[in-house]
């Protein structure tokens, strides 16, 4: 299995050294994996308090991981990416910073939706406000259209508590767009393990009925996420029950 979703302590809410993640991946039999910590977002001050890298850490993040990559190159292939949000007004600037630093790939984790009046709403906050759902899906569509992302991390993060038929209708339309675009969708190990609001069974049932496959992302915030093979086999069984095929993620170079 290839996992492209691994965090580091730089984001402020993960455990274990970089080396411990690599050692855990080796122990679990991985021959290749990717780090994708939470990128900085230089956007509307309210993001500053959210745990993620600071902008000045982007270069050291790459350099430190790159030196471990070289050290381990005989044993394992390591990729260096970021998990980031998509916001039209700042995305090009962010891309420039990431590319300058040597970042190889991005996954889109849309943890917040934003509004023209400056309002920022956490995507996982339970709400029956349809505008949050629509804005969230618009931002995912924007990310897909940008062509910059390898895959959508926890695409089912939005916690819409309104009428079921609205969720089904909006998600079906969204997933039809996803299918047409060929964008890869992540089934998130962390949310599954923690029994969070995502992965959302309604979402994956629609994906299954449309014949859209999943890639598994560990969303590792601790090294033992790699060696917890039991959860991976439960996920395989679960997705097979929903008719969702599992594929290996393919990196789209930045
Ligand atoms: Zn995180
Ligand atoms: Zn995330």
């Amino acid at each position: 299995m290839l996992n492209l979703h691994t965090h580091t302590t730089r984001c402020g809410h993960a455990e274990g050294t970089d080396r411990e993640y690599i050692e855990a991946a080796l122990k679990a039999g991985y021959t290749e994996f990717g780090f994708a910590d939470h990128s900085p977002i230089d956007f509307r001050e309210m993001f500053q308090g959210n745990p993620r890298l600071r902008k000045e850490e982007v270069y050291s993040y790459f350099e430190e991981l790159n030196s471990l990559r070289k050290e381990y190159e005989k044993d394992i292939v390591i990729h260096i990416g970021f998990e980031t949000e998509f916001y039209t007004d700042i995305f090009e600037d962010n891309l420039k910073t990431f590319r300058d630093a040597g970042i190889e790939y991005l996954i889109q984790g849309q943890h917040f939706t934003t509004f023209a009046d400056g309002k920022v709403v956490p995507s996982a906050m339970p709400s029956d406000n349809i505008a949050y759902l629509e804005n969230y899906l618009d931002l995912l569509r924007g990310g897909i259209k940008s062509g910059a992302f390898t895959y959508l991390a926890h695409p089912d993060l939005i916690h819409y508590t309104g009428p079921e038929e609205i969720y089904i209708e909006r998600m079906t339309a969204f997933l039809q767009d996803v299918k047409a675009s060929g964008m890869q969708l992540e089934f998130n190990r962390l949310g599954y393990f923690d029994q969070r609001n995502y992965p959302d069974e309604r979402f994956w049932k629609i994906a299954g009925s449309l014949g859209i496959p999943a890639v598994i992302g560990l969303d590792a915030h601790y090294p033992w996420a790699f060696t917890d093979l039991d959860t991976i086999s439960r996920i395989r069984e679960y997705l097979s029950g929903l008719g969702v095929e599992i594929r290996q993620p393919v990196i789209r170079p930045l």
Side-chain angles (χ1 to χ4, degrees):
M1 197 178 112
L2 169 59
N3 165 55
L4 295 179
H5 195 167
T6 310
H7 291 276
T8 78
T9 51
R10 295 168 189 79
C11 69
H13 61 271
E15 299 161 17
T17 62
D18 301 338
R19 191 179 293 278
E20 282 168 342
Y21 283 94
I22 298 169
E23 293 289 342
L26 283 169
K27 197 172 162 198
Y30 284 75
T31 53
E32 185 176 356
F33 82 98
F35 283 102
D37 209 354
H38 297 280
S39 83
I41 303 185
D42 193 12
F43 185 48
R44 296 181 190 159
E45 277 152 28
M46 54 274 284
F47 288 110
Q48 301 302 332
N50 282 297
R52 51 178 59 245
L53 266 78
R54 296 189 310 274
K55 204 165 183 177
E56 55 274 24
E57 288 176 304
V58 169
Y59 285 82
S60 59
Y61 167 75
F62 180 83
E63 275 153 26
E64 286 159 20
L65 293 179
N66 195 35
S67 103
L68 281 170
R69 160 157 73 184
K70 285 181 185 150
E71 184 185 327
Y72 281 89
E73 69 189 348
K74 286 201 178 65
D75 306 314
I76 192 162
V77 176
I78 298 174
H79 302 284
I80 306 170
F82 267 135
E83 176 182 18
T84 193
E85 284 80 355
F86 176 81
Y87 301 111
T88 323
D89 18 358
I90 54 154
F91 195 60
E92 285 304 318
D93 275 1
N94 281 343
L95 271 185
K96 191 180 174 330
T97 308
F98 301 154
R99 286 187 174 127
D100 286 352
I103 299 300
E104 289 174 80
Y105 71 96
L106 297 177
I107 58 177
Q108 183 178 4
Q110 199 66 39
H111 303 100
F112 302 94
T113 59
T114 61
F115 292 84
D117 61 2
K119 187 172 181 177
V120 175
V121 180
S123 306
M125 184 186 82
S127 171
D128 61 0
N129 189 333
I130 191 168
Y132 298 172
L133 172 65
E134 287 176 344
N135 196 335
Y136 175 80
L137 294 177
D138 283 349
L139 291 165
L140 293 193
R141 285 187 171 100
I144 293 171
K145 219 172 149 193
S146 76
F149 292 100
T150 282
Y151 74 53
L152 303 182
H154 44 62
D156 43 353
L157 179 64
I158 187 76
H159 198 167
Y160 179 69
T161 57
E164 189 81 0
E165 59 272 21
I166 290 182
Y167 182 90
I168 303 290
E169 193 257 314
R170 295 299 200 277
M171 280 305 180
T172 303
F174 172 69
L175 284 167
Q176 280 163 342
D177 291 348
V178 166
K179 188 173 181 180
S181 73
M183 174 54 80
Q184 305 174 96
L185 298 180
E186 177 199 77
F187 186 90
N188 189 274
R189 180 243 172 232
L190 180 62
Y192 183 80
F193 184 82
D194 285 355
Q195 301 186 306
R196 298 181 180 179
N197 69 292
Y198 60 95
D200 190 314
E201 189 158 292
R202 299 171 296 177
F203 180 94
W204 291 102
K205 272 186 180 160
I206 303 168
S209 73
L210 293 174
I212 300 173
V215 303
I216 299 176
L218 296 183
D219 200 352
H221 284 77
Y222 35 76
W224 60 265
F226 279 92
T227 48
D228 171 24
L229 301 177
D230 173 59
T231 300
I232 299 303
S233 68
R234 284 197 294 126
I235 289 174
R236 289 186 185 283
E237 224 168 277
Y238 176 74
L239 284 177
S240 141
L242 297 180
V244 178
E245 189 196 325
I246 298 169
R247 296 239 181 107
Q248 291 298 316
V250 177
I251 290 181
R252 179 172 193 153
L254 190 59

